[in-house]
Amino acid sequence: MKKPNDVILQTVTTVISFIIILFSINLFFAGHYTPGGGFIGGLMTAAALVLLLLAYDVKTLNTILPFDYRMMTAAGLLIAVLTGAGALLFNQPFLTHAYDYFNLPLLGETSLHTAVLFDIGVYLVVIGVTMTIIQTIGESE
Amino acid sequence: MSLLHIAIVLPFIAAVFIPFLFKGFRNIHTGWFVLLVPLALFIYFIQYLPVTSGGQTVSKTFEWIPSLGINFNAHVDGLGLLFALLITGIGSLVVLYSIYYLAKEKEALHNFYVYLLMFMGAMLGVVLSDNLIVLYMFWEFTSISSFLLIGYWYDKERSRYGAQKSMLITVFGGLSMLGGIVLLYIMSGTFSIQELISMSGSLMQDPMFIPAMLLILLGAFTKSAQFPFHVWLPDAMEAPTPVSAYLHSATMVKAGIYLVARMSPVFAESGIWLWLVAGFGLFTLFWGSFNAVKQTDLKGILAFSTISQLGLIMSLLGLGAAALHFDQLDENIYMGATIAAVFHLINHATFKGSLFMVAGIVDHETGTRDIRNLGGLVNLMPITFTIALIGTFSMAGLPPFNGFLSKEMFLLATLEILEFNLFSMDTWGILFPVIAWIASVFTFIYSIMLLFKTFLGKLQLDKLPKKPHEAPIGMLISPIVLGALVIVFGFFPNLLSNSMIKPAVEAILPSLVDSGQEVYVNIYFWHGFTPELFMTIGIVLFGTLLYATLGKWQGIYNRIPEQFTINGVYDRGLEKGESGSFKLTEGIMTGYMRTYLLYIFGFFVAILLSTLVVRDAFSIDTSNLAEIRIYEVILAVVMIASAITILFAKSRLTSIIALGAVGYSVALFFVFFRAPDLALTQLVIETVSVALFLLCFYHLPEISRKEERMGFRFGNAVISILVGITITLIAISAYSNSSVFESISQYHIDNVYKLAAGGNMVNVILVDFRGFDTLFEICVLGVAALGIYAMVHFRGVRRQKG
């Protein structure tokens, strides 16, 4: 079988996937104030990776992005749990969040919220899970 | 823990050491060590005789589970002591007999004596416990140890059958009894028998009184082999003969008698009690004696004879209840029945124990127990013959043995009940003396048969496996002692009357004693020419006549087909029970997921719809409905169309696409109902799941990829429509009532910025207000991913192993 020429797909994908990832990061950070959040952000990022998978193949993607997605899932769970457990250090119930406003360089006055840390956990788990499933199924014959 | 408690559990303690003694002293028969236990206990219990005959009782408490009212209360009164003496006395004789009966080289003696001691302790516990739960515990101990003893020769198929049968029947009764005990506790708030007796008058009014009585009687009847639960006893004859002599004549089968006697003060005021106990006892008496004539096995005859004699005692206990209705009579004639019951109990234990031992000797010395092969042993075994003669004549009720006295008292009691004018006894009471007389005739026949066919007639040496000779003296001691007691009690019955019978009767009928009536026990041979004497003469005459013509009428036994016997019913019941439950499981557990789903949904619909109907819970309220907008209608139509397409599509691919259409429509609904987060997630997730469905479709094996429409099944259609209707009705009702409570969402709206510094309420709820749920949802995702990974990657490993 002749190898199909998919140069257009690959070129477009390279460009598009960055836009998608940017969009997903936007969804993720905007989540606390506008629609979005860790879950949908994670799914979007995974979608970008899936697009790369479609344009190239499993091996290439592994070389570009050498992530172990199962470890990523574990790391996400760990971050989420530790965020919750952090509250215990301050004599607060599990998963109590805290926030405050900080004057950061470049960004000016910004609110920093521990819920974002929790959301990062969700984000990582969703990417890890989606990619594990798709990779696993894709690799099997 | 008092000395009395230690005495009761002494057999259990001793049982612990038996295996060590068996292994440590191989040259000495283990039985010699065991013998010390019942002997010591017998001597110990003898000391209580002066106490109980003085009308006193001894109670000792040992707290076991005081918070539940379950305490090991040992209570010694006349009845308990009588049984305790029987258990330890006959126990000693049986152990002595077993020393000579069981060879120490061939038999697993450590097992035997451990079981036997367990049984002895359990029996002592039954008769000396005042607490019903403790009594029940010991009761089940007797069942278990008797099961072990019957199955002692466990390599014989009949032994295992007999053990299983007795276990099933007695445990069935035991559990019923436990039910009765619980009911009694609910009624009275106490497990103590003495306290129950003191409040028996008020218990009579309780609606649970009759059920409790029936359940307790069920326990007593199964244990004491009353009709129709007698079937286990003949099969229990596969046990070693010392066991049969001990358990199945003198002690365990009398546990039911004990229970009836013990509970008499609680229940006996009721007419149902009188009729049930007396009626079942009398019928058992007849049935046992009638069937005993048919047996050809020595122990078989004795088993049926035991059943019949137990029935006799039981019916006497029932008739004795009549005495309670005549508190005012100075000379209460009905008390005679209870006296006769106690007297016959003692007599039966003596002569039946000796007869079993005789049967064991005959078996041991000739190698067979079949009376068709036996005969003419009188010259070879004169001592055994003498003991057998005493035992059988006493059993038949002939003078001058003790059986005669109790038989006379029994006949007198059945005659006196004719004058009893309660509970329609004056019309049906005539059955009592008639049946009693017929049963006594049969008793006479089998007793004579037992003696004559074994010891008289022609000696058939060629049919005997062994050359018969007299038994060793050690084996003869126990039956000689019992035979001697038969004669002693026959000639001097009043030895017993004040020391044992009177306190026992006082324990059975305490209310009469309280009301000031004197229990007057005086047993003597010569009553004058009374009706019961003529009945006895009639029994002897008719019995002799029938025995002489036995060959002519024995054919009637073969007329009864096997299916209609109780044994046949039991066997077929067991078989049908097994095959029936097998068929039931086969029928219900088809192994098809679709059947189980049908059950689940069927019950779902049945329970929910019936609740809706029974509670009249359906309600419809249109006041809080929103206006319907046109694009909602359009979207709903699209969804319905897609859903119908899924059902009726010819190709699976169409179904998958239609399912995707439903999913995207749902996402659109989310948009219309202003849920952007849901809409986003739904879109992406729907895409992923449709892709996964397509993947599954692509990998379907060729053979099942045949494009065909889903088959139509009427039942499935009905169930699915019903499920839909149920859910719809419930949803409508629930929504109509939704204004009952206010929603809590106002709190979230108010505090989303103030407390959580966020603007997206959905996300704030997910990560902040209800972050705990999210934590575990991502755990679920992780588990799902790992599961898929494991299924795909470890597939090969499983295939290699499996």
Side-chain angles (χ1 to χ4, degrees):
Chain A
M1 197 178 114
K2 207 178 128 193
K3 195 174 182 303
N5 190 341
D6 46 7
V7 72
I8 296 178
L9 175 67
Q10 291 183 349
T11 317
V12 171
T13 302
T14 323
V15 180
I16 292 276
S17 55
F18 279 101
I19 299 172
I20 299 178
I21 288 176
L22 267 181
F23 177 53
S24 76
I25 291 171
N26 176 45
L27 274 176
F28 170 72
F29 278 111
H32 217 56
Y33 289 93
T34 51
F39 197 82
I40 188 69
L43 277 176
M44 273 295 165
T45 311
L49 298 179
V50 170
L51 192 58
L52 285 171
L53 264 183
L54 289 176
Y56 298 94
D57 54 60
V58 179
K59 265 190 195 147
T60 321
L61 194 71
N62 270 346
T63 350
I64 309 169
L65 301 167
F67 294 130
D68 184 340
Y69 292 105
R70 278 170 290 141
M71 290 305 283
M72 192 186 266
T73 314
L77 277 174
L78 198 65
I79 290 170
V81 171
L82 286 181
T83 313
L88 297 174
L89 291 179
F90 300 96
N91 244 347
Q92 297 289 322
F94 186 67
L95 267 175
T96 308
H97 289 304
Y99 66 94
D100 208 342
Y101 296 90
F102 296 95
N103 221 336
L104 294 180
L106 287 178
L107 294 169
E109 179 162 314
T110 319
S111 82
L112 290 184
H113 201 308
T114 50
V116 175
L117 286 175
F118 186 78
D119 234 5
I120 286 176
V122 177
Y123 179 76
L124 291 178
V125 169
V126 171
I127 298 177
V129 165
T130 319
M131 292 313 289
T132 310
I133 294 173
I134 287 169
Q135 252 189 1
T136 313
I137 295 176
E139 275 172 349
S140 70
E141 79 303 351
Chain B
M1 189 172 248
S2 64
L3 196 58
L4 184 58
H5 289 105
I6 294 170
I8 293 171
V9 295
L10 181 68
F12 289 104
I13 299 166
V16 175
F17 297 102
I18 294 302
F20 301 110
L21 292 170
F22 177 71
K23 301 267 187 230
F25 302 91
R26 293 307 294 249
N27 297 327
I28 307 168
H29 197 287
T30 319
W32 291 112
F33 301 110
V34 179
L35 186 58
L36 299 173
V37 178
L39 266 183
L41 288 175
F42 186 72
I43 293 163
Y44 173 75
F45 282 118
I46 282 279
Q47 294 172 349
Y48 281 95
L49 260 185
V51 182
T52 56
S53 55
Q56 304 294 309
T57 59
V58 179
S59 277
K60 292 272 166 42
T61 303
F62 173 70
E63 293 209 332
W64 183 23
I65 316 175
S67 59
L68 297 178
I70 299 171
N71 293 314
F72 187 1
N73 292 347
H75 180 82
V76 183
D77 60 0
L79 185 66
L81 186 68
L82 165 66
F83 272 92
L85 287 175
L86 276 181
I87 291 159
T88 50
I90 297 188
S92 314
L93 296 173
V94 161
V95 171
L96 180 66
Y97 176 76
S98 71
I99 292 171
Y100 291 92
Y101 188 82
L102 296 170
K104 68 170 179 280
E105 294 81 18
K106 283 184 286 186
E107 304 285 354
L109 289 176
H110 50 317
N111 293 350
F112 182 79
Y113 286 114
V114 167
Y115 302 157
L116 198 72
L117 283 173
M118 262 171 69
F119 173 78
M120 193 181 292
M123 269 316 286
L124 281 177
V126 166
V127 299
L128 295 176
S129 298
D130 183 51
N131 191 291
L132 279 170
I133 293 290
V134 176
L135 188 148
Y136 172 72
M137 181 189 79
F138 283 117
W139 184 278
E140 291 298 11
F141 254 125
T142 66
S143 293
I144 292 165
S145 49
S146 130
F147 167 78
L148 291 168
L149 282 168
I150 297 169
Y152 175 64
W153 286 313
Y154 52 82
D155 42 0
K156 285 202 297 186
E157 201 268 331
R158 293 295 303 171
S159 289
R160 296 199 302 270
Y161 172 79
Q164 187 205 34
K165 195 174 191 176
S166 74
M167 184 75 163
L168 285 176
I169 294 178
T170 54
V171 168
F172 160 73
L175 282 176
S176 313
M177 192 180 101
L178 180 64
I181 292 171
V182 171
L183 285 184
L184 278 177
Y185 181 75
I186 293 170
M187 284 189 276
S188 66
T190 177
F191 284 124
S192 162
I193 298 172
Q194 296 307 317
E195 285 176 36
L196 277 172
I197 291 170
S198 66
M199 54 174 98
S200 62
S202 62
L203 291 181
M204 280 275 282
Q205 319 305 329
D206 202 289
M208 281 185 291
F209 179 78
I210 301 290
M213 180 171 92
L214 294 179
L215 287 171
I216 297 261
L217 275 184
L218 204 54
F221 283 178
T222 49
K223 200 75 165 181
S224 277
Q226 298 297 295
F227 185 88
F229 306 110
H230 64 274
V231 285
W232 66 266
L233 189 59
D235 283 303
M237 290 301 125
E238 295 301 323
T241 305
V243 173
S244 309
Y246 190 38
L247 273 67
H248 308 126
S249 70
T251 53
M252 186 178 88
V253 287
K254 297 214 169 89
I257 303 272
Y258 167 78
L259 190 73
V260 167
R262 181 54 90 201
M263 299 309 278
S264 275
V266 183
F267 293 117
E269 292 266 355
S270 157
I272 300 174
W273 172 272
L274 199 164
W275 266 108
L276 275 180
V277 177
F280 269 96
L282 202 68
F283 190 72
T284 310
L285 165 64
F286 164 72
W287 191 251
S289 61
F290 177 68
N291 275 297
V293 180
K294 168 183 156 187
Q295 307 300 317
T296 54
D297 177 59
L298 278 184
K299 280 173 84 177
I301 301 176
L302 289 173
F304 276 101
S305 141
T306 304
I307 293 166
S308 138
Q309 305 279 325
L310 291 170
L312 190 154
I313 302 172
M314 198 65 98
S315 69
L316 279 172
L317 283 176
L319 295 175
L324 295 174
H325 299 276
F326 291 94
D327 298 354
Q328 72 281 15
L329 284 183
D330 280 342
E331 206 173 316
N332 199 329
I333 48 172
Y334 300 111
M335 216 185 250
T338 312
I339 296 169
V342 175
F343 188 42
H344 195 72
L345 179 86
I346 304 169
N347 294 344
H348 177 247
T350 53
F351 68 69
K352 193 53 66 68
S354 74
L355 282 178
F356 266 108
M357 290 175 185
V358 163
I361 291 171
V362 170
D363 185 19
H364 207 264
E365 305 306 336
T366 64
T368 182
R369 295 195 313 246
D370 195 325
I371 52 169
R372 287 168 298 191
N373 299 338
L374 292 166
L377 293 174
V378 59
N379 294 324
L380 294 165
M381 307 167 88
I383 305 174
T384 318
F385 169 73
T386 316
I387 302 162
L389 179 106
I390 296 167
T392 46
F393 276 27
S394 175
M395 183 158 75
L398 297 176
F401 305 108
N402 58 6
F404 171 72
L405 299 169
S406 44
K407 184 65 68 77
E408 292 274 278
M409 290 163 79
F410 167 60
L411 293 173
L412 179 67
T414 57
L415 286 173
E416 278 168 346
I417 204 69
L418 293 176
E419 293 164 35
F420 189 63
N421 52 6
L422 278 175
F423 315 127
S424 56
M425 201 53 99
D426 40 355
T427 46
W428 290 98
I430 187 68
L431 284 174
F432 279 83
V434 170
I435 298 179
W437 188 81
I438 297 172
S440 300
V441 172
F442 279 107
T443 307
F444 181 84
I445 298 170
Y446 72 68
S447 301
I448 297 303
M449 195 174 92
L450 187 72
L451 185 69
F452 282 23
K453 292 214 172 169
T454 311
F455 291 101
L456 300 178
K458 210 161 78 53
L459 187 63
Q460 301 162 298
L461 272 180
D462 50 325
K463 284 192 181 170
L464 299 178
K466 285 189 197 167
K467 187 156 162 41
H469 56 82
E470 187 55 275
I473 183 67
M475 218 182 216
L476 286 168
I477 294 173
S478 304
I480 287 174
V481 171
L482 287 172
L485 284 177
V486 170
I487 298 175
V488 170
F489 293 159
F491 281 107
F492 310 106
N494 290 322
L495 274 181
L496 293 171
S497 55
N498 276 327
S499 57
M500 291 173 95
I501 298 177
K502 185 167 167 272
V505 171
E506 281 171 349
I508 298 173
L509 303 168
S511 63
L512 294 183
V513 181
D514 289 346
S515 70
Q517 293 193 43
E518 181 76 17
V519 178
Y520 179 70
V521 183
N522 191 10
I523 305 163
Y524 46 92
F525 267 109
W526 185 248
H527 296 261
F529 290 102
T530 47
E532 64 266 24
L533 183 65
F534 291 114
M535 281 171 89
T536 306
I537 293 169
I539 288 166
V540 175
L541 288 178
F542 262 90
T544 318
L545 187 70
L546 281 175
Y547 178 70
T549 56
L550 191 62
K552 296 213 173 71
W553 56 273
Q554 214 170 18
I556 59 159
Y557 285 111
N558 303 327
R559 293 284 171 84
I560 308 164
E562 188 61 28
Q563 290 107 303
F564 295 112
T565 59
I566 309 291
N567 253 327
V569 170
Y570 168 85
D571 284 339
R572 268 183 316 142
L574 211 57
E575 199 184 303
K576 284 269 152 57
E578 270 174 31
S579 64
S581 44
F582 180 72
K583 268 187 206 143
L584 190 71
T585 348
E586 282 281 279
I588 296 174
M589 302 284 153
T590 55
Y592 290 115
M593 194 63 99
R594 56 168 178 265
T595 330
Y596 303 145
L597 284 178
L598 219 56
Y599 299 153
I600 293 169
F601 284 123
F603 275 100
F604 177 87
V605 167
I607 291 168
L608 289 182
L609 274 188
S610 56
T611 311
L612 217 55
V613 172
V614 170
R615 291 296 181 96
D616 195 21
F618 182 73
S619 65
I620 191 157
D621 176 20
T622 49
S623 62
N624 56 355
L625 291 188
E627 234 176 283
I628 301 170
R629 288 169 294 183
I630 183 69
Y631 40 80
E632 289 164 14
V633 176
I634 296 170
L635 205 54
V637 169
V638 171
M639 275 179 76
I640 292 168
S642 327
I644 290 172
T645 314
I646 295 173
L647 287 181
F648 295 99
K650 194 172 171 226
S651 140
R652 291 196 170 93
L653 202 56
T654 321
S655 292
I656 293 172
I657 302 295
L659 188 65
V662 172
Y664 288 131
S665 318
V666 170
L668 265 182
F669 258 121
F670 288 148
V671 172
F672 289 148
F673 291 127
R674 291 178 309 217
D677 293 270
L678 291 187
L680 276 171
T681 315
Q682 171 68 22
L683 274 176
V684 181
I685 288 295
E686 190 60 39
T687 314
V688 172
S689 51
V690 167
L692 289 177
F693 270 123
L694 288 173
L695 186 80
C696 293
F697 173 74
Y698 182 73
H699 285 290
L700 275 181
E702 286 295 332
I703 193 157
S704 63
R705 239 166 137 175
K706 224 174 12 171
E707 302 278 300
E708 60 175 17
R709 221 168 243 118
M710 190 173 67
F712 180 78
R713 281 166 198 264
F714 181 72
N716 290 359
V718 169
I719 285 282
S720 54
I721 288 168
L722 279 175
V723 169
I725 290 173
T726 311
I727 292 297
T728 312
L729 291 180
I730 289 175
I732 290 173
S733 311
Y735 190 73
S736 300
N737 293 318
S738 64
S739 52
V740 178
F741 298 108
E742 230 176 287
S743 165
I744 58 161
S745 56
Q746 193 57 43
Y747 173 83
H748 292 140
I749 296 168
D750 293 344
N751 292 303
V752 66
Y753 191 78
K754 251 193 300 184
L755 290 180
N760 179 356
M761 205 172 81
V762 175
N763 198 41
V764 168
I765 290 175
L766 281 180
V767 299
D768 201 337
F769 289 136
R770 308 285 307 263
F772 206 57
D773 297 351
T774 312
L775 186 61
F776 289 100
E777 272 151 28
I778 58 178
C779 284
V780 169
L781 284 178
V783 171
L786 277 185
I788 291 173
Y789 182 82
M791 278 200 293
V792 170
H793 279 264
F794 302 129
R795 202 168 40 179
V797 181
R798 197 178 56 202
R799 198 173 290 157
Q800 275 165 14
K801 278 183 186 164

